[in-house]
Amino acid sequence: MTNEKLFTPKISLNSNERIIMYLSDEDAQKVRFRGSWSAEVTDVTTQISYKVKGCQCSITKCMCDAYIVQSNI
């Protein structure tokens, strides 16, 4: 994996469980770790697409986390 970026969103908004995936450079640029955002990304290993959104981490008012809204599986 040369240019893939590690991405570990939570499996749902209220879960602490995470999925490990790798994103292409193009998909990694869609993922912003500040503010309100959403994106569709594809795991390069499995070719499964996910709709993800930004969410608050464990620090109050910090929006540096992400969770899965929907997948194509």
Side-chain angles (χ1 to χ4, degrees):
M1 287 184 236
T2 54
N3 291 323
E4 290 90 12
K5 310 295 186 216
L6 178 64
F7 183 51
T8 58
K10 298 189 296 187
I11 62 169
S12 69
L13 180 59
N14 296 316
S15 175
N16 289 322
E17 187 177 346
R18 295 184 178 274
I19 185 171
I20 296 171
M21 67 175 82
Y22 291 90
L23 304 180
S24 66
D25 284 334
E26 181 180 329
D27 278 355
Q29 291 177 15
K30 297 177 189 177
V31 177
R32 296 176 294 185
F33 289 108
R34 294 287 181 248
S36 179
W37 60 272
S38 66
E40 186 166 326
V41 297
T42 301
D43 180 354
V44 296
T45 306
T46 64
Q47 293 300 302
I48 297 173
S49 296
Y50 298 87
K51 183 174 181 182
V52 294
K53 285 189 174 186
C55 67
Q56 184 173 315
C57 70
S58 60
I59 301 170
T60 304
K61 297 185 181 178
C62 181
M63 294 288 290
C64 71
D65 211 345
Y67 71 99
I68 296 171
V69 178
Q70 182 179 4
S71 71
N72 69 353
I73 55 172

